């Protein structure tokens, strides 16, 4: 009787499952709702052209290649914003940066929004993440997590866990792998399918290899990219003014591990000043092994220091070798995970393994290291997937795919495809043979972290199979670049102003508009140049008789010249728009550039020559802030009901050298900075907030 009941029950269940899967439109061979385990290995800054499966001229990555050999390799996979935090936020949400709100490093990820790990957890997956996170807020949607604070350290890293912070001795790649395998072995609920996100810091700067990899590539001369000595002739001037040049921006100590002399240590500038801290973090034994590995070469360098192009070549070799040594560690990690699966065939047969990296990287191309540009080397992301028995292996997928597609893919596999509303598309049709009919013909890109480290201007763009059109939209660089990737794969000839390319450019501009509409991206609209000085703005648009401003950083602003430099009163009415975690608005005043300097394409205003005067609504403070938008020159409490607008009146009194602010019934006063002369620039500002301002009243 009992067994009959069982039979009946299981029959009923089988029917139910069949019905649901048909209802979801499952076709034969389809992988929809097959609920495999997912092992997602995600490294940091690993360019596809440093993977042998992608034809690297530089290195062999035998274990990563195992994924491509037994599975598929995506030949044209791209990120939507070539930066760490933004790419990770996109992987979690399936959304481009403007929509998930994480547009530049330093933003705080809104973990309350729907995410892929949360959805997988909801449908019964065991979930865990180990290693690099870089999203500021605590991970959500994971049964187990241990993540690096911020960028993390290579040696003896701290890990954040729900129980707090712990420092663990060892190299970060090995430790992250060990945590992942420990969780597979003992940590997870074995009844459930699982999502494991194993996210390496390597091969991110400062490229410190593990002890066992220090000896690799020692006597090897690595091939040099054709564009190492690019003259940037047809590109925007900023391409020649970055801070990512092998020649001048790779630091001898910090980046290249040439031990400083006493004199150098005393005079150390920039990152080189961090050398002692880096060394102190290691144990004595680690430090001795590390330094010994470079000593002989360093001594040769000292005896006969190269100059000019020879120095660039020397720096490139040292940089690339360390980068590749870090990759050797990542490759070993992948091997350990694959070996673990091989040793557990029952689990392996239900497991999708994915390898990718948050973006690519320049390995000397255009004379650069780092990323950020929409140029191929860093725009392209490696992506490989294997699921033996279920995904036909040995294939290369040529379609244009993007990191917005990862979340929808994993969700469709888990049968949770409605849990998020992604910008991306599930990759399953490309994997399970359903075909690629109607696949996208273009990918979209938008980089925001302008006027920050490495100095790459904000830009958005479109890439089709053959062309790429880039729009740089800031006042200091308002320009276009167009490349024919077939004729010019190295992107050396900007055709944006080439008469013969006029039609192509027009079509691409049209496609770019369409993509921006499709993804609902209105950021990158900076009021058509009405404000010749901006920084850290996602958007400034006309709204009523004033402007609506979205600042995606601390102290974002838009300023225009002030027609009345002896102005006494500057006033506006400001209203915060809810949505972002912070609510604030500021009148921004800039003294003239007496204490600044003019560069070829931008005016640098030093701290002190700028003032932010306004209201932190959520904190209920009336503030006068220095030019860094952090230092409080005055701060008084105000009453604010939680909605509505506030009129802010700023009074400059040159006689007493003071600035006064009135708003919401309160008054704040501060001394004008010592270098203050007159009101040369006026405008609006905010810090990670969106705010509406009425037109400025200036008297
Ligand atoms: C750090 C690095 C930069 C790098 C950013 C962003 N400097 O600031 O070189 O561009 O991270 O990288 S470091 O000296 O601190 O390493 S990202 O991958 O996290 O976006
Ligand atoms: Ca990165």
């Amino acid at each position: 009787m009992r067994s009959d009941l069982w039979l009946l029950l299981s029959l009923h269940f089988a029917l139910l499952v069949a019905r649901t899967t048909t209802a979801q439109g499952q076709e034969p061979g389809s992988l929809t709702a097959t609920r495999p385990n997912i092992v997602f290995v995600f490294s940091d800054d690993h360019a596809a052209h440093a993977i042998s499966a992608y034809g690297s001229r530089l290195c062999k990555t035998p274990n990563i290649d195992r994924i491509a050999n037994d599975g598929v390799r995506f030949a044209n996979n791209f990120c939507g914003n070539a930066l760490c935090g933004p790419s990770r936020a996109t992987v979690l949400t399936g959304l481009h940066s403007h929509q998930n709100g994480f547009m530049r490093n330093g933003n705080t990820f809104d973990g309350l929004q729907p995410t892929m790990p949360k959805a997988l957890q909801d449908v019964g997956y065991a979930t865990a993440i180990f290693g690099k996170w870089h999203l500021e807020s605590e991970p959500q949607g994971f049964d187990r997590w241990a993540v690096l604070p911020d960028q993390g350290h290579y040696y003896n890293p701290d890990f954040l866990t729900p129980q707090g912070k712990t420092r663990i001795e060892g190299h970060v790649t090995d430790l992250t792998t060990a945590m992942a395998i420990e969780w597979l072995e003992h940590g997870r609920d074995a009844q459930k399918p699982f999502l494991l996100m194993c996210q390496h810091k390597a091969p991110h700067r400062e490229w410190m290899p593990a002890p066992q990899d220090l000896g690799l590539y020692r006597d090897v001369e690595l091939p040099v990219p054709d564009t190492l000595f690019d003259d940037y002739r047809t590109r925007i001037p900023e391409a020649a003014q970055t801070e990512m040049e092998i020649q001048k921006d790779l630091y001898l100590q910090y980046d290249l591990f040439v031990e400083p002399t006493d004199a150098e240590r005393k005079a150390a500038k920039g990152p080189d000043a961090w050398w002692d801290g880096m060394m102190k973090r290691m144990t004595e034994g680690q430090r001795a092994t590390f330094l010994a590995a470079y000593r002989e070469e360093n001594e040769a360098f000292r005896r006969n220091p190269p100059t000019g192009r020879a120095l660039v070549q020397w720096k490139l070799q040292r940089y690339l070798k360390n980068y590749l040594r870090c990759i050797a560690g990542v490759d070993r990690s992948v091997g350990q995970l694959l070996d673990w699966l091989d040793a557990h065939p029952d689990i392996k047969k239900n497991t999708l393994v994915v390898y990718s990296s948050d973006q690519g990287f320049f390995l000397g191309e255009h004379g650069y290291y780092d990323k950020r540009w929409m140029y191929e080397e860093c725009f392209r992301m490696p992506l490989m997937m294997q699921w033996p028995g279920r995904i036909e292996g040995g294939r290369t997928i040529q379609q244009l795919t993007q990191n917005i597609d990862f979340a929808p893919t994993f969700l469709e596999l888990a049968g949770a495809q409605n849990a998020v509303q992604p910008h991306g598309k599930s990759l399953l049709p490309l994997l399970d043979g359903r075909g690629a009919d109607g696949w996208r013909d273009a990918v979209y890109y938008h980089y925001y972290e302008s006027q920050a480290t490495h100095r790459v201007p904000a830009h958005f763009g479109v890439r089709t199979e053959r062309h790429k059109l880039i729009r740089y939209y800031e006042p200091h660089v308002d320009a276009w670049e167009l490349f024919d990737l077939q004729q010019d794969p190295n992107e050396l000839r900007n055709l944006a102003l080439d008469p013969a390319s006029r039609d192509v450019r027009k079509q691409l501009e049209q496609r770019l508009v369409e993509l921006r509409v499709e993804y609902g991206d209105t950021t990158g609209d900076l009021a058509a140049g009405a404000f010749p000085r901006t920084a850290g703005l996602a958007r400034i648009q006309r709204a009523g008789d004033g402007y609506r401003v979205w600042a995606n950083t601390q102290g974002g602003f838009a300023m225009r010249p002030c027609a009345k430099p002896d102005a006494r009163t500057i006033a506006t009415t400001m209203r915060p728009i809810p949505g972002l975690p912070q609510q604030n608005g500021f009148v921004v005043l800039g003294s003239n550039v007496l204490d600044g300097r003019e560069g070829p394409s931008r005016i640098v205003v030093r701290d002190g020559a700028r003032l932010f005067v306004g209201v932190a609504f959520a904190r209920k403070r009336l503030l006068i802030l220095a030019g860094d938008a952090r230092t409080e020159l005055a701060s008084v409490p105000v009453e604010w009901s939680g909605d509505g607008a506030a009129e802010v009146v700023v009074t400059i009194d040159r006689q007493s050298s003071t600035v006064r602010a009135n708003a919401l019934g309160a008054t704040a006063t501060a001394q004008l900075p010592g270098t203050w002369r007159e009101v040369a620039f006026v405008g609006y500002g905010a810090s990670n907030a969106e705010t509406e301002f009425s037109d400025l009243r200036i008297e």
Side-chain angles (χ1 to χ4, degrees), residues 15 21 39 62 77 178 181 194 225 315 323 390 459 470 485 597 656:
L15 273 170
T21 41
V39 174
N77 185 61
I181 290 180
F194 61 82
K315 285 181 158 189
Y323 177 82
R390 297 307 292 264
H459 55 287
I470 310 176
L485 301 167
R597 60 197 152 92
S656 62

Side-chain angles (χ1 to χ4, degrees), residues 44-45 83-84 105 132 134 151 204-205 254 358-359 370-372 454:
D44 197 345
D45 293 0
L83 204 59
C84 183
N105 286 339
K132 180 105 179 230
H134 211 196
Q151 294 286 5
H204 190 277
R205 195 180 182 191
Y254 177 70
D358 59 351
Q359 15 58 216
D370 212 69
K371 54 248 176 182
R372 299 158 192 274
H454 299 306

Side-chain angles (χ1 to χ4, degrees), residues 304-315:
N304 190 9
T307 54
R309 287 197 166 191
L311 178 60
V312 178
Q313 298 272 11
W314 189 91
K315 285 181 158 189

Side-chain angles (χ1 to χ4, degrees), residues 515-632:
L515 285 175
R516 283 174 59 77
V517 171
E518 179 184 336
Y519 295 131
D521 189 4
T522 56
T523 62
D525 176 351
L526 298 188
F531 297 88
R533 281 189 184 183
T534 65
L537 283 198
R539 184 175 64 206
I540 170 165
Q541 282 172 326
R542 204 82 177 120
D545 68 346
Y547 289 91
R548 185 169 169 144
V549 178
W550 177 359
N552 62 331
T553 185
Q554 176 91 20
F557 66 82
M559 291 199 292
R560 57 175 168 78
C562 178
K564 213 174 166 320
D566 58 350
R568 276 188 57 87
T569 309
I570 300 110
T572 180
T573 299
M574 48 182 79
R575 189 173 66 83
I577 296 161
L580 300 168
Q582 300 189 40
Q583 297 188 352
N584 54 62
F586 301 94
V587 170
V588 187
L589 305 176
S591 175
N592 46 4
V593 290
L594 201 68
D595 61 335
R597 60 197 152 92
E598 302 236 5
S601 65
R602 58 170 59 75
I603 301 165
V604 179
V605 181
R606 299 229 175 118
D607 287 347
R610 198 157 61 221
L611 288 171
F612 287 74
V613 185
V615 182
F617 289 94
R619 283 173 52 212
K620 299 191 181 179
R621 309 292 296 187
L622 174 61
L623 297 171
I624 302 177
L625 304 176
D628 62 359
R630 282 173 212 273
T631 309
E632 294 186 352

